[in-house]
Amino acid sequence: MIPRDFIDTLLARVDIVDVIDRRVPLKKAGQNYQACCPFHSEKTPSFTVSPTKQFYHCFGCGAHGTALSFLMEYEHMGFPDAVAALAQDTGLPMPEAAHEPDRPKPPPALWDALEQAARFYKQQLKQTPRAIDYLKRRGLTGAIAARYGIGYAPDGSPLKQVFADYTVDALAASGLVIDGDHGRYDRFRDRIMFPIKNVKGQIVGFGGRVLDQGEPKYLNSPETPLFHKGSEIYGLFEARTAIRAAGRAIVVEGYMDVVALAQHGVEFAVATLGTATTPIHARTLLRHTDRLIYAFDGDNAGRKAAWRALENTLEALQDGKEVRFLFLPEGEDPDSTIRSHGHDAFMRLLDDETLPLSAFLVRELAHGRKLDSQEGRAALIKDARPLLEKIAAPVLASLIRRDIAELLHLQTDELVHLGIRPVVGRRATAPHPQRRPAPSLLRNFAYILLMNPQRANEVEPQWLDTEDALGSRVSELIVWLREVGSLHPQTLTQTAQGSPLESLVNELMADFLDKDENWDWNTEFDDAVIKIRGNWRRRREESLRRRPLNSLSATERSELIQLLARS
């Protein structure tokens, strides 16, 4: 569970205008910013973002929330992923308590086993001329081997000498050994070893490559409590700084491609782990950079791998992000290409020879089809429909629809009748404009209270007019604010989600958008409390005076005398 005070710190540090503007271009409109709403179709902007309140609200469809809410809605992220994305943007380390509840924290023994094995493999590399010669033949220096922690696993089961107790569960649970029919033995034998690190730099698994001929050429750790092949990315920890500096990342297919590119000065390369790129891989990489390049061999297998990467990237796309594909000559990979042609030539390939995702998508849809026949065009539309529905970037999807229409000599609107509909947010239907509640003393007090949550203890719920429709809800708000404590307004909005007070808090935050940023909230609070307490005293005095004197208790008589004295 992610601590509430971490969310408060995170939302206080992040700028919602920056978060949204990178995905939906905003224009200044008075003290706020506006855009056409990304969650429903509209021609006149009704989507408003407040830099001072750190809140967005659409007066057309009612979409609203904080920077976290926006990421969850716009990028279809879960709450933990949205928190992690914002934390990364702001440089805040995620708290230890933020692990997912359905994935128990692995025991320290697993981490220790992997670290101890990594140290052993590095020592063995230094003592094994055959492994050193192999790396030298591949053009790698000791410095690059040290940077990536490359090692060597001898043949046999040498981990028996490394660990005092070779039978402990942690060795099997971490994937270092296999329990076979004839006993336990090392998983990795006579292989160059590549430690796989998570984003914190902790070793979660290994990849091992044979030195000579043999199968499998690459062997990865199995799925473990620490290692999940579909989400880990080799080299990302080492490449983070270079990715930021270069403004792009390149995804290659093997460990040797990553380290060979780094050896030649291309340090922003990463690799998936012997599996097709997954949506998790794509989302992770697009959080680190706005420009992503996939590099594949130019043969049929490379083209198939590129298509799988495209399919799994579609749902991670965002308008403003750029994904491209580099197809190398048949028989070459990034490792051989950069060793043969050098750094500058490889960089020219990245700059001049990559194909945009949109162009690759349309090209492959058209490949092998006879588009001069109705049957061929119908087949293209049939295959395009599910792909376009997966694209999470509505502007890009619209442009690709236009390209497909031009290819088929159709008007874009005709595609709608053929089953390819515009990609819109979840609020696709034209909404009724939101009717804003009329202002009232209680309503004004309620949103002033949200700006002064630390003063909730100064107000007694009994002061609120129970005959006012808003009275009971504001009473609940006071009690709730006392429970959650003093938080920033944007954190209160996030905390209220899923509670009975969610709709009220969101309505009040929408009211904030019209308020001048120079308001003196404390003075406004004091004035509102004086009026509310005064109104309560008048109601209470009138209620007591209407009752026969002999029906009042001693306490009520004393209270009436005090109220009359204040009149």
Side-chain angles (χ1 to χ4, degrees):
M1 183 176 179
I2 301 173
R4 185 180 293 156
D5 59 350
F6 178 79
I7 302 298
D8 196 35
T9 301
L10 178 64
L11 290 176
R13 185 174 294 190
V14 77
D15 181 5
I16 193 172
V17 173
D18 179 56
V19 171
I20 295 179
D21 188 53
R22 276 185 279 155
R23 296 158 176 86
V24 179
L26 299 171
K27 289 186 178 181
K28 195 81 167 69
Q31 64 181 0
N32 297 322
Y33 291 81
Q34 284 188 332
C36 285
C37 181
F39 304 119
H40 80 278
S41 300
E42 64 177 7
K43 296 180 179 179
T44 303
S46 60
F47 183 80
T48 301
V49 183
S50 169
T52 55
K53 317 305 185 305
Q54 290 294 300
F55 185 79
Y56 70 88
H57 182 80
C58 176
F59 292 100
C61 70
H64 49 251
T66 64
L68 274 175
S69 306
F70 183 83
L71 284 186
M72 293 168 67
E73 181 82 3
Y74 187 80
E75 296 189 9
H76 310 289
M77 286 184 173
F79 181 72
D81 287 339
V83 172
L86 285 185
Q88 180 176 292
D89 287 347
T90 58
L92 279 176
M94 287 288 286
E96 287 296 325
H99 62 277
E100 294 184 37
D102 60 344
R103 186 178 292 172
K105 189 174 183 179
L110 270 65
W111 300 105
D112 294 342
L114 293 170
E115 289 288 347
Q116 192 171 343
R119 289 194 296 270
F120 169 73
Y121 294 144
K122 287 172 69 175
Q123 292 170 355
Q124 291 301 303
L125 176 63
K126 296 175 183 178
Q127 300 169 14
T128 310
R130 175 168 159 265
I132 294 173
D133 290 343
Y134 171 82
L135 294 178
K136 285 183 176 179
R137 290 198 307 272
R138 300 297 298 263
L140 301 184
T141 63
I144 206 72
R147 177 183 173 186
Y148 285 88
I150 298 173
Y152 170 69
D155 205 0
S157 291
L159 292 183
K160 288 180 179 179
Q161 283 71 53
V162 176
F163 293 94
D165 186 356
Y166 190 66
T167 66
V168 295
D169 292 340
L171 294 183
S174 61
L176 289 171
V177 302
I178 296 173
D179 290 320
D181 294 337
H182 302 289
R184 175 170 286 196
Y185 57 93
D186 287 12
R187 179 179 299 275
F188 300 101
R189 293 166 292 167
D190 192 25
R191 289 179 179 269
I192 297 293
M193 298 297 290
F194 299 87
I196 301 165
K197 298 178 180 178
N198 62 18
V199 292
K200 296 179 181 179
Q202 300 167 304
I203 296 174
V204 296
F206 290 96
R209 192 199 190 283
V210 294
L211 274 73
D212 303 308
Q213 300 300 315
E215 294 295 334
K217 183 177 178 181
Y218 284 100
L219 178 66
N220 290 320
S221 293
E223 292 284 313
T224 73
L226 302 180
F227 179 63
H228 306 278
K229 190 162 56 176
S231 58
E232 299 296 343
I233 301 171
Y234 178 72
L236 180 58
F237 176 76
E238 293 83 357
R240 291 176 306 164
T241 301
I243 288 172
R244 285 196 297 270
R248 56 183 167 179
I250 178 172
V251 182
V252 294
E253 293 187 84
Y255 307 103
M256 284 303 304
D257 289 326
V258 171
V259 295
L261 289 175
Q263 178 69 65
H264 289 82
V266 181
E267 299 180 342
F268 49 89
V270 299
T272 53
L273 302 170
T275 184
T277 302
T278 66
I280 296 175
H281 290 143
R283 278 195 292 269
T284 299
L285 289 167
L286 288 172
R287 285 205 299 268
H288 282 77
T289 183
D290 291 339
R291 298 170 63 203
L292 185 60
I293 300 170
Y294 291 108
F296 295 96
D297 295 349
D299 57 14
N300 190 51
R303 199 162 54 245
K304 287 182 178 178
W307 184 253
R308 287 196 299 272
L310 178 145
E311 289 181 307
N312 286 326
T313 301
L314 294 178
E315 63 186 77
L317 288 174
Q318 305 160 23
D319 290 321
K321 301 281 188 179
E322 182 181 9
V323 177
R324 303 180 74 90
F325 292 81
L326 172 65
F327 295 98
L328 298 171
E330 187 167 352
E332 289 197 22
D333 55 29
D335 177 10
S336 63
T337 300
I338 201 164
R339 282 194 287 135
S340 300
H341 304 288
H343 170 274
D344 292 347
F346 190 83
M347 292 299 290
R348 282 194 294 273
L349 289 176
L350 297 183
D351 292 336
D352 304 330
E353 301 297 328
T354 56
L355 187 67
L357 177 144
S358 56
F360 179 45
L361 173 62
V362 175
R363 187 188 78 178
E364 290 301 297
L365 284 172
H367 182 71
R369 301 191 193 279
K370 294 183 178 181
L371 299 183
D372 56 350
S373 72
Q374 301 291 23
E375 290 79 5
R377 297 160 86 192
L380 187 151
I381 290 173
K382 175 179 176 291
D383 289 347
R385 186 185 303 125
L387 296 171
L388 289 173
E389 288 175 351
K390 289 175 67 176
I391 296 177
V395 175
L396 178 63
S398 297
L399 293 173
I400 294 175
R401 288 176 64 251
R402 188 182 67 183
D403 290 344
I404 291 174
E406 291 177 358
L407 181 67
L408 300 178
H409 304 292
L410 298 171
Q411 296 296 318
T412 305
D413 291 346
E414 291 182 80
L415 291 179
V416 176
H417 303 295
L418 297 173
I420 297 182
R421 302 186 181 280
V423 176
V424 294
R426 275 176 263 181
R427 298 177 177 87
T429 57
H432 297 294
Q434 299 289 299
R435 180 174 298 174
R436 304 183 69 173
S440 69
L441 173 60
L442 267 185
R443 189 168 196 86
N444 290 343
F445 169 71
Y447 62 69
I448 293 169
L449 184 60
L450 278 188
M451 294 302 289
N452 295 267
Q454 71 280 3
R455 301 189 66 179
N457 287 323
E458 300 176 31
V459 186
E460 294 298 332
Q462 67 185 35
W463 296 349
L464 305 182
D465 186 356
T466 55
E467 294 184 4
D468 188 312
L470 200 57
S472 60
R473 298 179 72 195
V474 177
S475 294
E476 293 173 16
L477 179 65
I478 292 170
V479 173
W480 178 72
L481 288 174
R482 291 175 178 177
E483 291 175 353
V484 300
S486 179
L487 299 173
H488 291 92
Q490 58 265 40
T491 314
L492 291 173
T493 304
Q494 199 68 47
T495 306
Q497 289 192 355
S499 77
L501 288 167
E502 178 180 2
S503 61
L504 174 62
V505 172
N506 286 326
E507 288 173 15
L508 298 173
M509 289 299 291
D511 288 346
F512 278 147
L513 298 177
D514 294 336
K515 302 304 177 187
D516 188 270
E517 60 188 65
N518 297 317
W519 261 38
D520 184 343
W521 294 106
N522 280 306
T523 299
E524 294 291 335
F525 179 88
D526 292 337
D527 291 346
V529 169
I530 289 171
K531 292 177 182 176
I532 288 173
R533 189 166 51 197
N535 289 344
W536 170 76
R537 284 173 177 159
R538 283 191 293 272
R539 291 195 306 273
R540 181 61 174 165
E541 178 185 338
E542 185 178 344
S543 172
L544 293 174
R545 289 178 65 177
R546 281 202 303 263
R547 290 170 55 187
L549 191 59
N550 59 6
S551 70
L552 299 179
S553 67
T555 302
E556 289 173 331
R557 290 178 186 178
S558 176
E559 181 183 0
L560 178 57
I561 291 170
Q562 291 179 9
L563 290 172
L564 290 172
R566 289 177 177 271
S567 300

